[in-house]
Amino acid sequence: SRECWFCLSSPNVESHLIISIGEYYYLALAKGPLVEDHVLIIPVEHMPNTLSLSSESDAELLRFQNSLKRYFKNQEKEVIFFEWASVRGIHANLQVKEVTVASC
């Protein structure tokens, strides 16, 4: 959609925030981060949620998630993934936030 700021073809996309582009997903820094290393995994295709995507995209999503888990583990942090779902059908985006692991 031309109006959607998550669609790569939109003039509203903030390309300076994009980290990596795959076939089905791309990784971008959050425009309004909740924490320092807040990133988004966003479907390239305009879909209302990640469950709407084809099963072929699952392997790529898993690769992005595993890469981020390794990145945060190297910083002694854990990562959580969550998705905002909306009945308005906005562009899906999987939120990625780090959490510091408490040592005992």
Side-chain angles (χ1 to χ4, degrees):
S1 169
R2 287 188 51 76
E3 303 301 317
C4 178
W5 61 84
F6 290 124
C7 285
L8 293 177
S9 62
S10 170
N12 298 323
V13 72
E14 301 208 27
S15 58
H16 66 285
L17 297 174
I18 296 172
I19 299 168
S20 178
I21 301 174
E23 184 177 350
Y24 301 101
Y25 290 93
Y26 71 95
L27 187 66
L29 296 172
K31 185 175 179 178
L34 299 174
V35 292
E36 183 180 348
D37 287 327
H38 184 183
V39 297
L40 305 172
I41 303 173
I42 305 167
V44 170
E45 188 177 348
H46 186 89
M47 293 295 225
N49 57 60
T50 56
L51 296 175
S52 303
L53 279 111
S54 67
S55 58
E56 296 89 45
S57 68
D58 291 345
E60 184 174 282
L61 177 58
L62 192 58
R63 283 193 302 274
F64 270 123
Q65 289 176 315
N66 287 336
S67 294
L68 288 165
K69 286 177 188 177
R70 283 191 305 276
Y71 168 78
F72 286 110
K73 187 172 185 164
N74 287 339
Q75 298 181 47
E76 298 181 355
K77 296 177 181 177
E78 292 292 329
V79 64
I80 58 171
F81 301 92
F82 62 95
E83 184 172 353
W84 295 106
S86 171
V87 293
R88 295 182 314 191
I90 60 170
H91 197 122
N93 56 91
L94 192 62
Q95 306 284 316
V96 183
K97 278 186 42 191
E98 98 266 351
V99 289
T100 304
V101 178
S103 57
C104 298

